[in-house]
Amino acid sequence: MVDKRKVGVLGGGQLGRMLIEAANRLNIQVNILDAAASPAKQISAHDGHITGSFKDAAAVKELAQSCDVVTVEIEHVDTQMLEEVAGSVVVEPSWKTLRIIKDKFQQKGYLKEHGVAVADSVELEGASPETIKEVGSKFGYPFMLKSKTEAYDGRGNFVVRSERDAAKAKEVLGDRPLYAERWADFRLELAVMVVKTKDGVLTFPTVETVHEDSVCKLTYAPPRNVSAETSARAQELAKKAIAAFEGKGVFGVEMFLLKDDSLLVNEIAPRPHNSGHYTIEACPLSQYDAHLRAILDLPIPESSLRLREPAIMLNILGGLTPDSHSQIARKALESPNASIHLYGKGDARPGRKMGHITVTAPSLSAAEREMQPLIDLVDNQKGKPLGPKDNFKEDPLVAVIMGSDSDLPVLEAGLKLLKDFEIPVTVRITSAHRTPDHLREFSKSAIFTTVKVIIGAAGGAAHLPGMSASWTTLPVIGLPVKATHLDGVDSLYSMTQMPRGEPVATVGINNSTNAALLAIRILGATDAGIREKLRVWMEGNEKEVLRKDQELQDIGAEAYLAKMKKK
Amino acid sequence: MVDKRKVGVLGGGQLGRMLIEAANRLNIQVNILDAAASPAKQISAHDGHITGSFKDAAAVKELAQSCDVVTVEIEHVDTQMLEEVAGSVVVEPSWKTLRIIKDKFQQKGYLKEHGVAVADSVELEGASPETIKEVGSKFGYPFMLKSKTEAYDGRGNFVVRSERDAAKAKEVLGDRPLYAERWADFRLELAVMVVKTKDGVLTFPTVETVHEDSVCKLTYAPPRNVSAETSARAQELAKKAIAAFEGKGVFGVEMFLLKDDSLLVNEIAPRPHNSGHYTIEACPLSQYDAHLRAILDLPIPESSLRLREPAIMLNILGGLTPDSHSQIARKALESPNASIHLYGKGDARPGRKMGHITVTAPSLSAAEREMQPLIDLVDNQKGKPLGPKDNFKEDPLVAVIMGSDSDLPVLEAGLKLLKDFEIPVTVRITSAHRTPDHLREFSKSAIFTTVKVIIGAAGGAAHLPGMSASWTTLPVIGLPVKATHLDGVDSLYSMTQMPRGEPVATVGINNSTNAALLAIRILGATDAGIREKLRVWMEGNEKEVLRKDQELQDIGAEAYLAKMKKK
């Protein structure tokens, strides 16, 4: 075994269960404090588990006495007792951190003190019409009313749309301790899993989270339509937020990406998190591996936290019937790249997290295509009509740019070929001389999209592909277009004779077929599916020439010529 | 849950344990028949397990009564009892199959009857000097003596090198029922995991297995230095072998690849197999998922069995000290792409399978590089001196071909650049006109190697890159070399003006720097590491020009010119 220490966990739900999956593979004993036969205990057969509630001080003490390191799968625990036992057992993350984070208002204040951007918030003495009015005049409408404690998966949150909502808020939130938060007008939500070790703070990739009815529905890794620069900023913000807290382990940081591209931290979880489930398949180390290693001071190579392949995670929630969630899992069995995780929970109450599905694929659009039927089933179960399927747009792999629309007829054959090969393409008009800034912007940002090859068509003093190549690290194919003078040799030379440093892969004058085929070869170098299509296509050409030769033998040159002239 | 049926397994070692890992994620109950606290039972806490031996008929019957489907993790079981219970419970694979396979001599005979290539073998009445001599005169030396039953991991095998080995054979094999087998003079060993479902026979990819002291040490997926064609033949042979047997589930097929490139089936396992462990990380579905789904008639999409990324599996065996295997596991914690599986076994007897490590990476050579320190540790523990590290040769990503060695000076700058970018390269002289067959062979086989881009340099009537492109689907870069006449324009035209169908990505005359950079861009389109190096390199060029401009501003054009002339 790699480590003889025993780990104790407060809580044995799905997070504890997936932590035990990771621990089982390293033969590390994990003792769970939770009800008998809780999800985590089902996959761990030893007599070290403790039956009881993770909110019960005596049970926490008993767990602590049986372990070397104590951690949590939920922050709503008895931090008093953790503080008490911290003298005799290692508690990770620190009870101080858990105490701050479990009170969301305190959490926000703490983050603000440490220079981390969060939404403005204000403490409330209950949701009376007067207070609501006061906050509304300060923050405007809508704003959020939130319970300071025991709030998760949308429980304890209420959207106040006008001062008339006071009664309803009281009904929903009861007498819980409350605070109000300014509405964050976000474009989308991002999340980053952060790993705090004895040596420093590491991050998993940035993901996009999609919530429905205040519960996480989907996670996209990487986020859709978010630049690499913004993703990196989200990682930095998450790092900064977690560096402010004491203790080791993984932390989930949920953020808002506002419409002005700025980021706010929404909420922190001092433990593995739903938005990190995708790491089980998509990264060399999962968030559970990372948590276990961090609290035990075992090595975590930084590159273990990278994304191996784009991934989408879909939560399986309890639905309207006791069987709704099983239908989703069964449908996922037919999906070739879907990994199914069911949590061994009992009854499927509506909204209860029963499991999740992760699809990984070479591109996010391939993962989306595979996940879509499962999302449709989820939506259908909720009574939503299925939307039209044909609006599903593929992310382009090839960008075709031309200096003028007069080049389009030359490109026609190549574009048709790319379509025949089912290669998604984006076609743009951008001139090196008339729209130099547009060309620059396009070329510089191409690397942050799904585009892997650029084809540039231009005639005359053809600067387009050469300038594009100067602003990108992607391979650029040059297609010389024959203009009025010089038979296209001018643009051929303009492309091939680029200075050392910025090559243009030049093909024959007006030969857009070859430009397309070269793009296909480049994509095929690392995509066996595309390569196979090309092999079959080339074989077809070979057969066609052999067939013509046979015909020539059969009917003779004279008849063949006569036939040709008829056409 | 996706399925309410209960699965019973005869045997609860590591294979049963990894089967339970898969079943746990689908919340399928698996009842294990084996000793208490066996590896599989440790990760499955319910009261359906049975304590006893999988060779004990009464215990098998008890297990069968508790389940809907019975399967095995080992073939050395009581098939009489399985035959008896098969009337009341589903047994997969069929007891008939298990009965044939558990007797290796019968297995060979059965395969031969069904037209599957196996080594010649002959039954023996004990290993007397007379019989040995008789077999030796028939098969020649060396030949194999094998126990018909209870043989695995090399136990029950003996190599007879001359008739003088009779006494030693008797000592090693005792009174076991024996057969002799002709020596297979193999180049290497291959294995394929086959999945037999209600609908047909599917295969996982072909892998190479490396044995040491008759125990599997390493698995390489895909195999090293084996053509795609041979791998496909191995899959077909494995499919044919398993199609001959009754029942559902996964089967391991071990094969010899002989020096004449023909294949022989060595041995079949009617269950998950060591050579399929790599599938847990490297394929969308693991062999354990596939076994569970096959015996329960759940869907198995064919593309779920593909290789996502090249992978290497290293077994962790018990070593000379009780801690040897833990040292290997601990070392693997530092390896960024290593997944560690420890089996929860007790004492580490030398040679006992304690766990395994799988490394997956974008290329097999990257996986090899990462695995090498772990293999070194294993070898070192066995007292082998560590070999020199610098003989570790990278598989080439770029092939540079030239028509004549006179082109080499033109290529110098490009080759240096590829070296600076740490891109492994193979450089060959092959002429379209003087060695057309060699060029054809080279170009046709390139796709079965690690090469992803070809650079062809040629002068004059430069046919080299164009002909190469006609024989491959890989992208081919053309580097026109200036010859005695026409300033290189002849070869530039020969490359760019290829007919529709076979493009050559042409760069400037004599500009091997740009040929190399284009290869780097093509590789970088799908490799972020290479792309980042290119970005930094281009930034360096940018800074250099800006620096020169600054100097020109600082000292003026006159002084700058004077400085230039001095150089």
Side-chain angles (χ1 to χ4, degrees), chain B residues 510-528:
Chain B
N510 276 16
N511 195 339
S512 70
T513 301
N514 274 7
L517 285 168
L518 184 54
I520 289 166
R521 284 185 185 230
I522 290 172
L523 296 171
T526 50
D527 185 322

Side-chain angles (χ1 to χ4, degrees), chain A residues 55 123 157 326 328 412 429 437 474:
Chain A
K55 295 185 181 182
E123 206 163 6
N157 282 4
S326 302
I328 299 163
E412 191 178 1
I429 300 170
D437 291 340
L474 288 174

